[in-house]
């Protein structure tokens, strides 16, 4: 028997978003981890907001929604708010009821400054790492460090001489025509008018120069989880400087190992690591390597070189799923916050895949 095509909508619904999400949905263990981390951050939220005045949108809901933006590759906050309005799965993850009104997209811009100055992303990442450590997933002896380029929001046309007036537009609502042929552009004489903190950088010989930042991660070698991050301006020494900063923040006084690629094979960097009681498992250059037989003769050196490749999985996930191939914001501080939160999201996905948190 053919069922009738009834267009009349029901006036009442007795189903909650919780009942509509399957018990085996992959977001369930991620929400358990996120809720536990946000509960630990509750005292920090209490200090950020005034005790009087009109109640704000809960910061826990804002952070959960930003996690959804990363996990589902939503390219803008306008689209995120649109999804939150009609997507029952997103409403359930954020903690919204079926009838609750959705905030405006400008709420993220208004709250971003408050969040940036509180290191919430760093604390959230550390809380996720604490859960991984409690589950026995983290190594406290063997690590890997690496960096990647993140293209800035600014275009090459915005990279202009610091002491020169901007070109005049020819009209027609078009960008002014600029001829760069035969002109040398350097970071010490030029700057982007769109994002002055970005730097012109070339990854290697034969590669094009781009305006970009540089993201760095410290990965533990047992399961490939991110334990620390940095985001810096793109310079020739940024990778080694960030690696030393993250190495000095490794807890404990015991000897650890840090693997890295050939770009870190520098005598000053290797000597600085050894001062920090860190054994440098750095890939050797063909000529003039700072790594000698006292390091390469151990079996752990070969193991670190094999594990080091897993750091590329982190960067690949961040640039494709989290949309960090090109920055969505301007300035080091804002991109650093998103970079760290994306690292925490990667850890939660990785932990879920390892079956650490059961659904329910």
């Amino acid at each position: 028997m053919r069922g009738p095509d009834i267009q009349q909508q029901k006036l009442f619904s007795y189903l909650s978003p919780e009942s509509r999400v399957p018990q085996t949905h992959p977001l369930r263990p991620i929400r358990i981890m996120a809720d536990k981390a946000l509960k630990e951050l509750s005292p920090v939220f209490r200090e950020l907001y005034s005790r009087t005045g009109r109640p704000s949108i809960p910061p826990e809901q804002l952070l959960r929604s930003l996690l959804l933006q990363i996990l589902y590759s939503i390219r803008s906050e306008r689209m995120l708010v649109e999804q939150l309005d009609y997507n029952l799965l997103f409403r359930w993850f954020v903690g919204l009821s079926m009838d609750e009104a959705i905030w405006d997209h400008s709420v993220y811009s208004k709250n971003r400054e408050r969040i940036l100055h509180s290191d919430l992303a760093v604390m959230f990442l550390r809380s996720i790492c604490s859960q991984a450590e409690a589950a026995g997933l983290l190594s406290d002896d063997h690590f890997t460090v690496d960096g990647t380029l993140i293209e800035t929001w600014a275009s090459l046309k915005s990279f202009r001489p610091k002491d020169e007036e901007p070109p005049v537009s020819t009209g027609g609502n078009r960008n002014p025509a600029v001829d760069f042929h035969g002109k040398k552009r350097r970071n010490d004489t030029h700057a982007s008018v769109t994002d002055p903190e970005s730097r012109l950088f070339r990854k290697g010989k034969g590669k094009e120069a781009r305006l970009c930042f540089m993201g760095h991660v410290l990965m533990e070698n047992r399961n490939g989880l991110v334990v620390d991050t940095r985001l810096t301006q793109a310079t020739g020494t940024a990778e080694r400087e960030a690696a030393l900063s993250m190495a000095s923040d490794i807890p404990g006084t015991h000897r650890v190992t840090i693997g890295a690629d050939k770009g870190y094979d520098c005598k000053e960097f290797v000597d600085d690591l050894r001062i920090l009681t860190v054994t440098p498992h750095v890939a050797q250059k063909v000529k003039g390597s700072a790594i000698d037989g006292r390091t390469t003769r151990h079996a752990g050196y070969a193991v670190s070189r094999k594990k080091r490749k897993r750091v590329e999985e982190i960067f690949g996930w961040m640039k494709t799923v989290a949309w960090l191939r090109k920055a969505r914001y301007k300035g080091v501080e804002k991109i650093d916050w998103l970079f760290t939160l994306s690292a925490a999201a990667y850890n939660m996905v990785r932990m879920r895949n390892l079956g650490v948190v059961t659904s329910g």
Side-chain angles (χ1 to χ4, degrees):
M1 176 180 178
R2 178 184 176 184
D5 182 20
I6 301 175
Q7 299 292 329
Q8 180 67 36
Q9 301 293 326
K10 293 184 178 180
L11 296 178
F12 302 99
S13 175
Y14 299 97
L15 294 176
S16 64
E18 172 68 29
S19 62
R20 299 300 299 271
V21 179
Q23 294 297 318
T24 57
H25 197 280
L27 271 185
R28 282 193 174 273
I30 292 179
R31 183 182 174 183
I32 293 173
M33 290 182 275
D35 287 348
K36 185 175 181 179
L38 292 173
K39 186 176 181 180
E40 294 177 2
L41 294 178
S42 182
V44 180
F45 295 140
R46 195 177 302 115
E47 295 296 327
L48 290 177
Y49 290 83
S50 174
R51 299 181 183 273
T52 60
R54 187 176 60 181
S56 69
I57 298 172
E60 293 89 346
Q61 293 185 356
L62 292 178
L63 282 171
R64 289 194 201 99
S65 64
L66 290 175
L67 286 175
L68 286 174
Q69 184 181 18
I70 294 171
L71 294 171
Y72 282 85
S73 308
I74 302 175
R75 66 174 181 265
S76 69
E77 289 158 0
R78 289 177 181 268
M79 293 189 67
L80 174 62
V81 170
E82 180 183 344
Q83 287 271 355
L84 287 173
D85 193 24
Y86 61 77
N87 194 319
L88 292 182
L89 176 66
F90 284 15
R91 280 182 172 267
W92 165 82
F93 187 87
V94 173
L96 298 170
S97 65
M98 297 278 286
D99 302 325
E100 199 165 349
I102 303 299
W103 51 80
D104 189 76
H105 67 88
S106 61
V107 170
Y108 294 102
S109 300
K110 293 178 181 178
N111 284 272
R112 189 169 290 120
E113 294 300 325
R114 177 189 286 122
I115 293 174
L116 284 176
H117 296 295
S118 59
D119 290 332
L120 275 176
V122 175
M123 290 184 282
F124 187 82
L125 174 62
R126 289 175 179 172
S127 180
I128 298 299
C129 289
S130 298
Q131 298 180 40
E133 185 177 11
L137 297 180
L138 295 186
S139 170
D140 57 358
D141 297 317
H142 307 291
F143 302 89
T144 296
V145 68
D146 203 0
T148 188
L149 294 179
I150 298 177
E151 189 177 349
T152 185
W153 197 4
S155 68
L156 283 175
K157 283 188 176 182
S158 69
F159 197 64
R160 302 170 183 168
K162 298 178 181 179
D163 55 353
E164 184 178 298
E165 293 294 329
V168 181
S169 176
T170 57
N173 295 325
R174 296 175 62 90
N175 292 330
V178 181
D179 185 11
F180 297 116
H181 293 287
K183 297 181 181 179
K184 292 184 178 181
R185 291 179 290 176
R186 300 171 57 90
N187 288 317
D188 54 354
T189 59
H190 291 63
S192 171
V193 295
T194 304
D195 192 347
E197 292 184 284
S198 61
R199 291 292 181 269
L200 193 66
F201 191 83
R202 185 175 63 179
K203 192 172 183 179
K205 293 182 179 180
K207 301 290 185 179
E208 73 279 7
R210 297 182 296 172
L211 287 172
C212 52
F213 296 98
M214 190 169 286
H216 316 267
V217 300
L218 181 69
M219 178 193 76
E220 58 81 34
N221 287 354
R222 181 175 298 169
N223 288 291
L225 297 174
V226 182
V227 295
D228 202 355
T229 63
R230 296 286 190 278
L231 191 124
T232 64
Q233 291 180 324
T235 65
T237 60
E239 285 189 299
R240 296 191 292 269
E241 293 169 356
L244 288 174
S245 176
M246 292 186 289
S248 62
D249 289 342
I250 296 176
T253 58
H254 60 289
R255 179 169 292 276
V256 301
T257 67
I258 289 185
D261 58 31
K262 294 180 181 180
Y264 295 82
D265 190 1
C266 173
K267 185 178 186 304
E268 292 79 6
F269 175 72
V270 171
D271 292 342
D272 289 339
L273 282 184
R274 286 176 173 151
I275 293 174
L276 295 174
T277 323
V278 176
T279 302
H281 283 181
V282 179
Q284 292 178 294
K285 293 180 179 178
V286 178
K287 295 182 180 180
S289 176
I291 304 298
D292 50 31
R294 57 178 169 171
T295 300
T296 59
R297 62 189 175 90
H298 295 286
Y301 178 77
V303 175
S304 291
R305 292 193 61 184
K306 291 181 180 179
K307 293 287 187 178
R308 180 178 58 82
K309 300 176 182 178
R310 301 186 67 177
V311 74
E312 299 299 338
E313 298 177 12
I314 300 172
F315 291 140
W317 189 91
M318 285 185 170
K319 290 188 175 184
T320 54
V321 178
W323 276 49
L324 272 175
R325 183 190 63 81
K326 190 177 183 69
R328 293 199 293 264
Y329 306 124
K330 302 175 186 177
V332 171
E333 193 176 28
K334 293 180 181 179
I335 305 173
D336 185 20
W337 193 91
L338 181 60
F339 187 78
T340 305
L341 189 64
S342 299
Y346 173 84
N347 280 357
M348 288 190 287
V349 173
R350 179 68 180 155
M351 292 166 63
R352 181 204 64 191
N353 294 342
L354 293 171
V356 176
V357 182
T358 59
S359 61

